[in-house]
Amino acid sequence: MLIGYTNRLSARAGETIEVKVSSDFSNDYAADLVRIISADPNPEGPGIDVRRVPANFEGTYTSVAKPTRPGSYGIVPLGGLEITADATFSIRFQPRLLRESPQVLFSFIPESGGAVSISIQKRGLKLETTAETRAVSFAFEIGRWYELRLAIAGRRLRLVAYAVQTGSRCFEVETKAPKEEVFKKLVLAARPQHEDPTAFTAFFNGRLEAPKFLRGEQLVQRLLEGPVEEEAILALWDFSIDIPTSHIRDKGPSRLDGTLYNLPARAVRSSRWSGDEICWRHAPDQYAAVHFHEDDLYDCCWDTDFCFDIPRDLSSGVYGIRLRCGDAEDIIPFFVRPARDATKARVAVLFSTFTYLAYANHPRDNFDAKYHERRNDWRAYPHHPEEHPNFGRSLYDCHPDNAGIQFSSLLRPMLTMRPGYIAYAERRGSGLRHFPADMHLVAWCEAKNIVFDVVTDHDLEAEGSKALEEYALLLTVTHPEYHTARTLDSVQDFVAGGGSLGYLGANGFYWRIATSEAFPSAIEVRRGQTGARTWEAEPGEYFHAFDGQYGGLWLKNDRPPQQLVGVGMSAYGPYNGTYYRRTEASYDSNFEWLFDGIDDEILGDFGFSGGGAVGFEFDIVDLSLGTPPEAVVLAKSEKFTNDCYLAPEKLDFGARVNMPDWQASEIRADLCLVPKPKGNFVFSASSILFCGSLPVNDFKNNISKLLENFVRRCL
C-alpha cells in the first residue's frame, strides 16, 4: 500500500507543509504536486481532473513501510522511586469490554526490564511478575467499578480486589515479588511489547481512576472509607487535574507527572459521580477517570519524508501531493490560501475541514460486491476504511466497547478525503460525499471562470473574522455540518459586515465541536440527547473535555442555523435526488435577476448526486427558530420518497390536530433567499445534493445558471 498524510490541511502561500508517507513497495515512489479541479470518477460525469504543477519536492523517494499503532495508554516515569516493603499500589477500574485475551490494567517496568502487570479477561484476572504468574477466576461485570490493591510485604505481593459500590471483597491472591523493587515507569492501560519496548499491546477497554502509591499495607484498608493521611502518600495521580490536556498530575511529594497517549477520553464519570452535577468543571472530582480504548488514535507518528515549501506566488486553490509507485497512486489533498500580502479574489470558498475530520474513515456499512464492482469499473479510489481499521474511525463510529468515538485527528491517512472516493454505489449519479462531492463546485468555478480563494474551517478557527476580510462573497460546500463558536462567529460577522453568503448544502451549522491547543490536530464532539446521530453521549458527559463547553446541537446551544442562513435541518432520507418547483414568490420582479435565462418551473431534476438537486438531507425555513421575516422561499422540493424521516429534534409529540399531515409537511427543502440590510444576500440551497447538479450538460443547466446569477450579482 502507498499512502500518506500531511501535518496540516491548510496553509498559506509562503508556508511549509510536511508530508509523511508509508510505502510497502520495494521500489522507490515518485512524488509531485497537482492542482485538483474535479474528483468525480464517474465516466459519464466531469471525471477526475488533476493538473501537475512544478514543485520543489518533485522527485523519487525511498519506500519505507511505517506502522500505525492505535491504542491509548499512559506513561508515568517513576524517577527511580524505590518501592520497599510495606507499600501498596491502588487503582480503580471499570471494564467496558471483556474478552478471552488479556487487557492490561497497569504495568510496572523495572530497571532490569520485564514487567509486573495485572490484566483482566472474561475468566478473571492475571498477575504476572518476573518471578511467577498467578491467575484468579472471577466474573467481572461490565460497567461496575472495582478497586485493586497490590501490597508489597517483604518478598511477597498480595493482591486484593474490592467492589467499590458495596465495599465487598472480591478475591485475594499472593505471589512472589520480583527481585528488583526499583521501577522505572508505570504504564497504564497497556504493556510494552517484548520485541519492541516503544510499542504497546494488550490495551484495556475501560476506565481507570485514582492510581496511588501509599506507605504501609494497613493504611490501604481505609481507602474506601475516607481520605488518606498526607504522610502516607508516596504518589497520587489525580485525573481530575488538567482534564483538557494529556498531563497526568501527581499530587504526591515527588510530583511524578506522566503523559497520556493517543487521546483517551477525559471528562468522563468516575466512581464518585453522584449525578448532582453534569458539568465536569463544577465537580471535577466526580470526573476523575480516563476512558481508554484499543483503537484510540491521535497521531500515527510517521517521520516526515519531505516538505513542500509553498511558493509565495502559488495561486490559492485545492492541491494534492501525488504519490505513485507502479500502478499504485495516492493523492493527499490540502488547501493553499493566498500569501498574507497577496491580492485576494472577491470570492472565497469555505471548505468544511471540520466535517471532513468528523467523517474521516467512516466505512458506512456498504462495502459489498456492488461497491467493489463500481469501484473497479470506474477505476475509483482503491482503498476503503473497512479494509484499513488501523487508520482509525470517524465520529460516526463506536469503539469496540460500543462507546461513541469522540475525537478525530488529521494526523493519519483519511481515506474518505481523496479524489475518486465513492461513498455510495448508487445507480443514479456518482455516489460522492464530502470532499469529492464538494469538488463539483470547484469544477463549476473553473468552467465559469470564477476566480476564488480557498479558506477552511481550520482557518476560521485560527484567525476568526480576519480570515474573511476583503471578500465580497463566501460560498460553502455541500455539508458544512460541524462548527465551533469561533467559526460560526466568523461567518455571522462576515454577513453582518456586508458580505454575501451562498450556503450550497444542507444539514449545516448543526453539531457543536471543540478544538484544543493541547491537541491542535483534533476535534471533539459530545453528541447530546437529540439530533441525527449514530450514538449518544453517556449521562453527565455532554460537556467537552477540550473546552468545558456544552456539546450537542447548535440548536440546543441557542444558535439554530435558521438565524444564520434562514433554514435549518428538517429531514433526511436515502441517497436519491428529486427536484425543486419554483414558488409564486420567485416570479416577483425583485428576483428577475436570479432567474435570468431560466424559463423552467422545475429546477434540478438531474444530477450526479442521487440523480437530482434535492435530497438525502435537507433544510427548511422556520420563523420560530429565527428565520428572518424577510426571507423568501423561491422554490420547494417535490416527490420525496416515503423513506424520508424527520430529524429527531423536529419530532413533535404535542397535541396537534393532524400529526401525520404536519410531519409530512416538514419533510421538504426550501430554496431560500434572505436580503440583508447592506444590500447583500444569503442564498440557501437547503440540499446536500445541490452541487451535484452543477456539472450536468457541461455545466449548462438551470441549477448552474441559478448559482451563476447569484454569484455575478454579488460581485
Side-chain angles (χ1 to χ4, degrees), residues 567 579-587 591 594-595 598 600-604 613-614 618-621 631-638 640 668-673 683-687 690 702-703 706:
V567 296
Y579 56 83
Y580 306 97
R581 184 183 296 275
R582 290 179 61 177
T583 64
E584 184 178 346
S586 72
Y587 294 96
F591 307 112
L594 187 58
F595 291 93
I598 300 175
D600 308 312
E601 184 179 359
I602 300 297
L603 306 175
V614 192
F618 25 94
D619 299 351
I620 65 172
V621 299
V632 182
V633 176
L634 300 174
K636 291 186 177 184
S637 60
E638 287 188 350
F640 277 134
R668 67 179 196 275
D670 292 337
L671 190 145
C672 175
L673 188 73
F683 172 91
S684 293
S686 298
S687 167
F690 179 85
N702 53 36
I703 292 293
L706 184 72

Side-chain angles (χ1 to χ4, degrees), residues 222-534:
R222 298 202 299 274
L223 281 176
L224 287 175
E225 302 168 8
V228 179
E229 292 87 345
E230 187 173 337
E231 62 271 15
I233 297 173
L234 289 171
L236 194 163
W237 293 282
D238 187 347
F239 296 156
S240 73
I241 302 174
D242 286 349
I243 281 178
T245 75
S246 61
H247 301 315
I248 301 173
R249 295 303 189 190
D250 175 21
K251 294 167 65 174
S254 300
R255 293 294 189 264
L256 301 174
D257 294 340
T259 304
L260 295 169
Y261 293 88
N262 263 341
L263 204 49
R266 304 187 75 168
V268 295
R269 296 170 300 161
S270 65
S271 64
R272 295 174 174 84
W273 190 66
S274 66
D276 294 334
E277 280 288 352
I278 62 170
C279 176
W280 63 263
R281 292 183 287 107
H282 299 161
D285 59 309
Q286 296 187 32
Y287 291 84
V290 177
H291 196 155
F292 297 88
H293 296 99
E294 64 187 39
D295 62 342
D296 285 330
L297 180 61
Y298 174 63
D299 189 349
C300 284
C301 296
W302 291 356
D303 291 335
T304 297
D305 289 75
F306 57 88
C307 294
F308 174 34
D309 299 318
I310 306 172
R312 292 184 58 81
D313 60 352
L314 186 66
S315 299
S316 180
V318 186
Y319 290 86
I321 304 292
R322 182 168 59 181
L323 312 172
R324 289 181 288 185
C325 188
D327 293 333
E329 178 179 284
D330 186 35
I331 297 177
I332 312 167
F334 63 97
F335 304 93
V336 174
R337 301 173 64 201
R340 292 190 182 276
D341 57 353
T343 302
K344 292 184 176 180
R346 300 196 67 203
V347 180
V349 175
L350 175 60
F351 284 89
S352 302
T353 49
F354 285 160
T355 301
Y356 299 160
L357 267 182
Y359 284 87
N361 297 340
H362 179 35
R364 294 189 182 277
D365 299 324
N366 63 352
F367 189 59
D368 53 17
K370 181 180 177 183
Y371 184 95
H372 274 279
E373 182 180 2
R374 171 65 57 85
R375 187 173 73 174
N376 294 337
D377 287 348
W378 288 3
R379 297 181 60 83
Y381 186 68
H383 303 303
H384 190 278
E386 192 66 39
E387 301 167 293
H388 304 283
N390 54 308
F391 294 145
R393 287 292 191 234
S394 76
L395 299 184
Y396 285 78
D397 300 303
C398 291
H399 294 290
D401 65 0
N402 289 323
I405 295 178
Q406 298 174 184
F407 303 103
S408 181
S409 169
L410 61 86
L411 297 177
R412 57 182 176 136
M414 293 193 290
L415 306 179
T416 49
M417 189 183 164
R418 291 297 195 266
Y421 180 81
I422 300 172
Y424 296 101
E426 299 295 335
R427 179 179 58 84
R428 302 174 68 200
S430 306
L432 308 182
R433 290 295 315 278
H434 307 299
F435 174 78
D438 294 343
M439 295 304 294
H440 284 145
L441 177 61
V442 174
W444 178 83
C445 289
E446 180 77 10
K448 299 297 180 180
N449 295 313
I450 294 171
V451 178
F452 67 93
D453 292 339
V454 303
V455 65
T456 71
D457 293 338
H458 284 81
D459 301 320
L460 298 190
E461 180 69 5
E463 300 178 14
S465 302
K466 188 177 179 64
L468 299 178
E469 288 180 351
E470 302 178 40
Y471 294 113
L473 172 64
L474 179 67
L475 300 175
T476 78
V477 286
T478 62
H479 198 188
E481 184 176 9
Y482 289 81
H483 282 272
T484 65
R486 188 166 168 84
T487 60
L488 280 188
D489 289 345
S490 300
V491 178
Q492 181 175 290
D493 292 347
F494 174 78
V495 174
S500 290
L501 173 64
Y503 168 38
L504 306 184
N507 186 216
F509 313 103
Y510 191 69
W511 288 107
R512 180 173 191 166
I513 59 167
T515 58
S516 165
E517 291 184 4
F519 305 98
S521 300
I523 59 172
E524 177 187 14
V525 70
R526 296 287 176 117
R527 300 200 188 278
Q529 295 168 294
T530 189
R533 62 209 187 279
T534 53

